Amino acid sequence: MMKKSDYIEVNGSKLYFEISGNLEGEPLLMLHGGLGSMNELKPVHQYLAESHRLISMDFRGHGSSLLGSLPLSYQLYQQDVQALLDHLKIDRYSIFGFSDGGIVGYRLAALEPSRVSCLITLGSQWQVNLDDPSMQLLASLTADFWRSRFPDDVALYQSINPEPDFPRLVDAVKNAWFDTTVSGYPNHLVAQIRCPTLVMRGDNDFIFSLDEAALLKEKLACCSFANFPLAAHAAHQEAPDIVGAMIKRFIDKHGVQ
């Protein structure tokens, strides 16, 4: 598998990206979750790399990307991704997004429907209810808790980020999670999504509930749904063979023509 990597300067930040897999293949945008990095999606790369050009980017502040001074939001992530795609001269592409990455995917597919061929999300909310128990739990999340729960991920961040400040990143990401304005979750915008969409979740996902997934399916024009047993929020890491095969099957059918 070949790989190219570089930085792009966008809105006061330097964002790290990689292009891997089949460099002549169809573009597949890979978007990671909050407080993670592109590294967390690598368990499914082997199922996609032979046929697709995988475009991965660390969201600002995450992985190897600089945080900059702008408040984090899903809209800002979306604009960063659009700037990268324009820089790479990619007009049409498919998306796989996990958690926050999928939320950005909803926004991209809704606001630039002519560019997105198909959309696949995993564990990705489309609206926010601040009274939901999961949101109350996220509100209490601290850098020390995340460091104790995901020590390898935080150690990787500390080693690869040019200006590591994990407590600052946690506060910035939480601002995006609790953004109830138009720069936050897509909410009603999901009704504008017209591309084939696959919404996935782990059966034990406490963040993206089955009820929310079912309601989202009703709002999308062309939606399939997969609920993975014996898996939680990060089903792609718990069962990469099942999730990877599902992504490939869907994109092979609905990807860039």
Side-chain angles (χ1 to χ4, degrees), residues 40-238:
E40 70 189 16
L41 300 184
K42 289 185 177 176
V44 298
H45 276 211
Q46 61 180 305
Y47 303 95
L48 307 166
E50 183 176 346
S51 56
H52 288 81
R53 184 182 359 157
L54 306 182
I55 302 163
S56 306
M57 184 184 77
D58 286 334
F59 289 138
R60 59 176 60 214
H62 298 68
S64 298
S65 293
L66 297 181
L67 182 56
S69 59
L70 296 177
L72 294 187
S73 70
Y74 293 119
Q75 182 181 58
L76 183 59
Y77 292 152
Q78 165 212 323
Q79 292 169 346
D80 288 342
V81 171
Q82 289 170 320
L84 174 61
L85 294 169
D86 290 343
H87 171 73
L88 297 174
K89 295 181 170 54
I90 293 175
D91 294 324
R92 194 159 172 79
Y93 58 94
S94 297
I95 302 172
F96 168 56
F98 164 61
S99 197
D100 278 7
I103 297 170
V104 176
Y106 295 139
R107 292 185 61 99
L108 288 165
L111 296 173
E112 291 194 327
S114 64
R115 298 184 69 178
V116 180
S117 217
C118 73
L119 169 64
I120 301 171
T121 68
L122 172 64
S124 301
Q125 297 161 287
W126 59 282
Q127 62 179 357
V128 61
N129 175 5
L130 297 183
D131 294 326
D132 187 277
S134 66
M135 298 305 294
Q136 295 174 17
L137 180 62
L138 290 177
S140 65
L141 187 148
T142 65
D144 286 340
F145 170 82
W146 198 270
R147 187 178 288 110
S148 66
R149 181 71 176 82
F150 304 104
D152 293 342
D153 291 346
V154 178
L156 176 65
Y157 161 83
Q158 292 289 156
S159 67
I160 65 176
N161 194 277
E163 299 177 357
D165 187 340
F166 194 65
R168 182 181 172 221
L169 176 62
V170 170
D171 289 342
V173 169
K174 288 175 69 173
N175 284 336
W177 287 345
F178 290 90
D179 183 0
T180 58
T181 72
V182 294
S183 64
Y185 296 82
N187 294 300
H188 66 279
L189 290 178
V190 297
Q192 299 176 197
I193 297 174
R194 289 292 177 264
C195 66
T197 302
L198 172 60
V199 174
M200 305 187 295
R201 68 178 296 274
D203 197 36
N204 300 319
D205 190 343
F206 77 99
I207 294 177
F208 184 44
S209 72
L210 182 59
D211 288 343
E212 283 294 303
L215 184 57
L216 174 59
K217 186 178 187 303
E218 292 180 5
K219 292 182 175 295
L220 296 177
C222 182
C223 183
S224 300
F225 174 62
N227 190 72
F228 299 111
L230 306 176
H233 189 54
H236 64 297
Q237 295 177 329
E238 300 170 68

